[in-house]
Amino acid sequence: MFKYSDYFDQNLKKAPYASSEEELSDYSQLIEMIFEDFIYMKLADTGQGAYSRGVVITEKEMRDYFFAAPNLRDKDGYYYILGESVVSAFEHIGSRTLMTGDNVRLPIRDITERFSLSETETLLVLLSLKAQTDRSYERVIGFAQDDIQESVPTLGLGLALIRRAFEQPDIEVSEFLSVKRGLFNGLFVSAGVNSYNPMKTKLVLTGAALDMILGDGVYRRDPLRLLNRDEEAAFFKDESAKISSVLKDESLKGERLYLACEDTDEAALLLLCAARTAGLKVYEVDKAKLEALDENSRSEFFDSLSFIAGSDENVLLISGVREIIGEEPGVPVLPRFSEIKAKRPIFMTGGEELPTRLFNGEPVLSIKIGKPDVSTRIAMWKYFMKEYGLSLEKGFSIDEIADCYELFYTGIRSAVKQAKLNLLQSGAKKLSRDMVTDAVKGIATVSFNGLAKEVRSVYTWDDISMNEAEKKVLMTACDRYKIKNRIGESWGITKKNAYGNGVSVLLYGPPGTGKTMAAQIVAREVGLPLYRVDTSQLFSKYIGETQKNLNSVFDEADKSNVILFFDEADALFSKRTDVENSNDRYANQEIAFLLQRVEEYKGMSLLATNYYSGFDKAFVRRITYAVRLEQPDEDARLQLWTSILPSEVPMEKGIDFKFFAEQFELTGSNIKAILLSAAYMAGAQGAKLSVQHIVKAMKYEFDKLGMMPDSGKFGPYAAYLYN
């Protein structure tokens, strides 16, 4: 009875396994043969039923055990017959395994190789697997353990089976339970270990081990997910080389490495790309699901982590590690992360800022990950535009968008989604520049803490009156910014430029000549939001505070894809003075610091001033372009008079704007103020805009400027000055 030939078809001894189910079936036959033999011996000559309640131990068992010498206990002829059958069964399974190709998944073979399991240890795995997958064995296991209430197999039961199955068992309890051995640090749930009575240690396979044996999806690994985004990870093929080299370095085996990146999603994809290149899988810990686990489930989860990380084929990624660590030491999950045994480096993400400590005070080793280069951004924009079925209007391109908007992966994906919503709301068929700009602004979180405020960019080139040569310089500055990354990287210019490839423009000229309007036109042309820096908030009487404020402005601008506009910039960039006291020294330091930050800024900065001569010469040398805005001539003034107000404003026919352009040498800001004032006067009266409104508004403007209006210049309209 209980012979090898009764459980296995000998005709299949050298037949390869066709599926994992066939391998599992053979191993199931093996554990059933051993277990049924054990139950048979326990019931022999007792007349006891297998399902008796309470403790089941017979007089024969007591007599056989205590009246036999230790070396003869449980030793009879039948023992050796079973041992021969067990050897034959392992040979049978081994021959079939050897004949099976790599195209068939054999989970028991994989798990024994993964943990370097001996035959006796494999038997314990099979016992636990049987208990967890075959409910009919629950009461049988309870009977075998002399406690019908205990349906989970223990190490004591496992060792009893091993003694029946092997003539010379090759397992020691202390070795089996040791952390070094690793079986309870990845294979079996460590919560089952009973250090007081090792024989009562419960044998429960982790969910990850069951997944590996039974197939993915049979048991859920709640807080753990297999990253499977190869198409998106391929974006980072060129940038993943530094992580690929880390994965191959044996000296970093099991090391904790922090991926310092503002976009944790991008960091994960970069790692995935490197892992795929090396033929590895990436498993990511989901922080939110981890926090939702109860204590017992969390303990089992960490055992699963060791199982996953302990494979040569897997890489573990812990996302949101800063939140997991928390602010206070002693968080319960920390020691468990420290105990994970890994064959590869364990990677962590949690933002750009490095944690000051990790786990048990271990030093932080980090890999800095910046924004993707322009070619990668172009590929991502094209991918998501295609995914959402979007196309652009003529006049600008995806390459231009990717160059101007230095976004991370998540930012690009979100911007395209928002652009899709903008398109649907507009009813248009293609995306306009404004839709894309609004989409990027919509996903941005810009916070200058009161040091800068956004200025709406509503003007176009048609609205400004400029010398054509100066307008060409301003257009050149815009064109340069649109291609700065593509040309800078492909032509190697960026590598040779120590201060980056930002663009700075100085707008200077008399008051009212349109410097602020020019800044808005530039912002609209390149499609970036314009932020006017509040110089009154920058300056501080406290030493170092001004520099701190400047740092804050430029740091936020670096992250936010905006144009910085310094109006009345001479207040900041004035000439340095001879040092006569400590105030002069600190003032000069602030100017020098500001010059350095403007030069290093990789975005676009616009500076406006009425007093060009007051600028520090060192600053002027570092400016990319300088554009002078002159007082408008007669033709330019006429253009302003006729173009500032929108077409929706109702006007009386026959207003002679040419007369006002000829008679009054006004600046663009003066003309704008007059026309807006006149329009609102007409609106308040419920009338159309007339010459009378314009003349009255001109009087108010002259009064504001402290000028006496010359009635002679008003000609036939002079009476309106006083009526």
Side-chain angles (χ1 to χ4, degrees):
M1 184 178 260
F2 305 113
K3 294 181 181 180
Y4 153 73
S5 57
D6 295 329
Y7 289 84
F8 295 89
D9 185 349
Q10 297 180 62
N11 295 324
L12 297 176
K13 187 170 184 178
K14 293 188 178 181
Y17 287 118
S19 65
S20 60
E21 287 76 13
E22 286 190 9
E23 185 208 34
L24 288 172
S25 176
D26 271 0
Y27 275 110
S28 178
Q29 292 291 93
L30 171 61
I31 191 63
E32 285 186 8
M33 180 179 72
I34 298 171
F35 201 91
E36 289 169 10
D37 165 81
F38 179 81
I39 296 296
Y40 177 82
M41 291 299 295
K42 191 172 182 65
L43 292 172
D45 302 325
T46 66
Q48 292 282 351
Y51 301 109
S52 301
R53 294 188 176 276
V55 175
V56 181
I57 184 168
T58 68
E59 180 180 346
K60 180 180 183 302
E61 288 176 314
M62 296 280 287
R63 184 173 60 253
D64 289 347
Y65 187 84
F66 288 105
F67 288 89
N71 63 330
L72 296 178
R73 290 172 184 170
D74 289 334
K75 304 287 186 179
D76 54 35
Y78 185 70
Y79 169 88
Y80 296 105
I81 295 174
L82 178 63
E84 293 171 1
S85 292
V86 171
V87 170
S88 297
F90 271 112
E91 289 178 350
H92 176 98
I93 294 171
S95 65
R96 297 196 67 183
T97 300
L98 190 63
M99 298 298 294
T100 304
D102 294 335
N103 60 318
V104 178
R105 188 179 76 90
L106 300 181
I108 302 299
R109 176 196 60 187
D110 293 344
I111 208 167
T112 54
E113 290 179 356
R114 153 72 179 84
F115 283 94
S116 301
L117 299 180
S118 65
E119 289 182 347
T120 54
E121 291 169 333
T122 301
L123 187 61
L124 296 179
V125 172
L126 297 175
L127 173 61
S128 179
L129 178 65
K130 193 69 173 176
Q132 288 175 256
T133 58
D134 190 344
R135 190 170 183 180
S136 65
Y137 264 70
E138 288 182 356
R139 298 186 68 190
V140 176
I141 289 172
F143 169 77
Q145 298 183 136
D146 292 332
D147 185 352
I148 202 64
Q149 302 296 324
E150 186 56 80
S151 60
V152 177
T154 61
L155 180 57
L157 175 61
L159 293 178
L161 294 178
I162 289 171
R163 283 197 299 270
R164 292 294 306 165
F166 298 95
E167 183 176 355
Q168 294 181 336
D170 59 349
I171 186 169
E172 294 291 336
V173 174
S174 59
E175 180 187 1
F176 182 81
L177 293 176
S178 69
V179 174
K180 181 179 179 181
R181 185 70 187 86
L183 297 182
F184 279 94
N185 194 21
L187 182 55
F188 292 107
V189 175
S190 59
V193 175
N194 188 323
S195 56
Y196 177 75
N197 186 350
M199 291 297 101
K200 290 189 176 181
T201 291
K202 295 182 178 181
L203 299 179
V204 180
L205 293 171
T206 65
L210 285 169
D211 264 345
M212 184 175 181
I213 295 171
L214 301 178
D216 287 343
V218 177
Y219 284 80
R220 293 183 301 152
R221 297 188 290 265
D222 279 331
L224 198 65
R225 61 171 178 167
L226 175 66
L227 288 186
N228 189 21
R229 299 160 64 187
D230 293 352
E231 190 171 3
E232 295 170 53
F235 294 141
F236 303 96
K237 185 176 181 180
D238 295 336
E239 301 178 36
S240 63
K242 57 184 177 182
I243 297 183
S244 297
S245 60
V246 168
L247 288 171
K248 298 174 184 176
D249 195 323
E250 285 292 325
S251 66
L252 295 174
K253 177 181 177 180
E255 196 67 67
R256 273 65 172 166
L257 301 178
Y258 188 81
L259 300 177
C261 184
E262 182 181 330
D263 183 359
T264 56
D265 211 8
E266 179 171 316
L269 290 173
L270 196 63
L271 174 61
L272 178 60
C273 184
R276 283 290 188 263
T277 302
L280 307 175
K281 298 177 181 179
V282 177
Y283 286 89
E284 182 181 20
V285 177
D286 188 314
K287 178 186 72 69
K289 289 185 177 180
L290 174 61
E291 293 173 344
L293 294 181
D294 58 36
E295 187 174 347
N296 290 335
S297 298
R298 181 176 293 181
S299 178
E300 181 176 346
F301 167 68
F302 277 104
D303 291 325
S304 298
L305 281 188
S306 292
F307 179 87
I308 295 296
S311 171
D312 282 325
E313 298 179 354
N314 299 331
V315 179
L316 188 62
L317 172 65
I318 305 171
S319 296
V321 71
R322 292 179 62 82
E323 291 81 2
I324 292 174
I325 290 175
E327 297 299 327
E328 298 296 329
V331 179
V333 299
L334 301 189
R336 300 309 310 274
F337 273 120
S338 308
E339 294 167 5
I340 298 172
K341 309 298 180 183
K343 293 288 184 70
R344 302 279 178 180
I346 295 177
F347 292 89
M348 297 164 288
T349 64
E352 187 176 17
E353 185 180 352
L354 296 177
T356 55
R357 61 179 177 81
L358 285 177
F359 310 125
N360 295 333
E362 299 174 10
V364 178
L365 302 178
S366 64
I367 300 174
K368 178 72 174 177
I369 299 175
K371 292 177 180 176
D373 60 26
V374 65
S375 59
T376 304
R377 296 199 300 271
I378 290 172
M380 287 192 285
W381 274 98
K382 289 182 177 178
Y383 173 82
F384 288 117
M385 291 279 285
K386 181 179 180 181
E387 183 176 339
Y388 286 93
L390 299 173
S391 58
L392 302 175
E393 289 182 350
K394 291 182 179 180
F396 73 122
S397 65
I398 289 178
D399 291 10
E400 180 183 318
I401 294 171
D403 205 320
C404 289
Y405 302 131
E406 297 185 17
L407 300 172
F408 283 101
Y409 161 85
T410 300
I412 294 174
R413 181 184 60 191
S414 300
V416 174
K417 288 182 181 179
Q418 184 61 52
K420 176 75 171 184
L421 291 176
N422 294 348
L423 181 68
L424 292 174
Q425 293 176 57
S426 71
K429 294 183 178 180
K430 294 186 177 182
L431 286 176
S432 67
R433 184 189 298 273
D434 288 344
M435 290 179 194
V436 176
T437 301
D438 290 343
V440 175
K441 288 170 62 177
I443 65 164
T445 53
V446 185
S447 176
F448 286 100
N449 295 319
L451 297 175
K453 295 181 180 179
E454 185 178 3
V455 178
R456 290 181 61 231
S457 302
V458 297
Y459 296 111
T460 66
W461 295 109
D462 295 333
D463 296 318
I464 195 168
S465 174
M466 288 180 66
N467 178 289
E468 285 301 318
E470 299 297 327
K471 182 184 287 189
K472 183 64 176 176
V473 175
L474 205 56
M475 288 180 171
T476 299
C478 295
D479 291 339
R480 173 169 171 170
Y481 190 82
K482 293 176 186 178
I483 62 171
K484 68 184 180 75
N485 289 305
R486 282 170 288 169
I487 297 300
E489 292 175 13
S490 62
W491 290 10
I493 298 174
T494 305
K495 295 179 181 178
K496 289 287 187 179
N497 191 346
Y499 296 104
N501 59 344
V503 177
S504 54
V505 181
L506 176 62
L507 305 167
Y508 68 97
T513 51
K515 294 182 287 296
T516 301
M517 180 185 287
Q520 294 179 58
I521 291 170
V522 168
R524 186 180 180 87
E525 177 66 22
V526 299
L528 293 176
L530 180 70
Y531 276 79
R532 188 203 306 264
V533 178
D534 190 341
T535 54
S536 67
Q537 296 295 320
L538 285 179
F539 287 113
S540 174
K541 64 181 179 180
Y542 298 105
I543 295 174
E545 282 299 309
T546 300
Q547 293 184 17
K548 181 180 178 181
N549 290 338
L550 287 169
N551 243 343
S552 177
V553 168
F554 280 102
D555 287 347
E556 183 65 22
D558 274 330
K559 297 187 300 182
S560 306
N561 290 279
V562 301
I563 296 176
L564 289 179
F565 178 42
F566 295 88
D567 202 1
E568 300 180 2
D570 47 282
L572 284 172
F573 299 90
S574 57
K575 292 180 179 179
R576 282 170 279 196
T577 61
D578 294 331
V579 177
E580 296 181 359
N581 53 47
S582 60
N583 290 335
D584 293 335
R585 182 169 66 254
Y586 288 124
N588 287 345
Q589 288 176 358
E590 289 170 354
I591 294 172
F593 177 77
L594 184 54
L595 295 178
Q596 176 187 338
R597 286 310 309 257
V598 169
E599 192 170 23
E600 292 175 349
Y601 181 45
K602 61 185 179 182
M604 176 175 272
S605 52
L606 304 176
L607 306 100
T609 181
N610 301 332
Y611 308 104
Y612 179 80
S613 60
F615 270 85
D616 190 287
K617 290 183 179 179
F619 168 72
V620 175
R621 287 197 304 270
R622 297 173 184 178
I623 284 291
T624 313
Y625 300 101
V627 177
R628 177 175 175 79
L629 285 87
E630 304 280 1
Q631 288 276 12
D633 58 19
E634 183 179 327
D635 290 339
R637 292 196 296 272
L638 178 58
Q639 180 187 355
L640 291 169
W641 278 108
T642 56
S643 64
I644 286 178
L645 290 178
S647 58
E648 291 85 356
V649 175
M651 296 185 189
E652 290 186 353
K653 293 182 179 180
I655 298 177
D656 191 358
F657 287 114
K658 191 173 187 302
F659 171 83
F660 295 110
E662 291 175 347
Q663 292 294 105
F664 301 99
E665 296 183 2
L666 298 170
T667 66
S669 63
N670 296 145
I671 297 173
K672 176 184 175 183
I674 291 168
L675 286 172
L676 289 177
S677 176
Y680 280 111
M681 278 192 285
Q685 296 173 9
K688 293 182 178 180
L689 180 68
S690 66
V691 172
Q692 182 177 357
H693 297 123
I694 293 173
V695 172
K696 184 63 71 175
M698 291 180 71
K699 181 181 185 301
Y700 294 155
E701 184 69 11
F702 287 143
D703 290 344
K704 180 182 74 176
L705 298 173
M707 299 169 57
M708 181 68 71
D710 184 353
S711 59
K713 285 191 173 184
F714 283 88
Y717 309 124
Y720 294 140
L721 286 171
Y722 312 106
N723 185 6

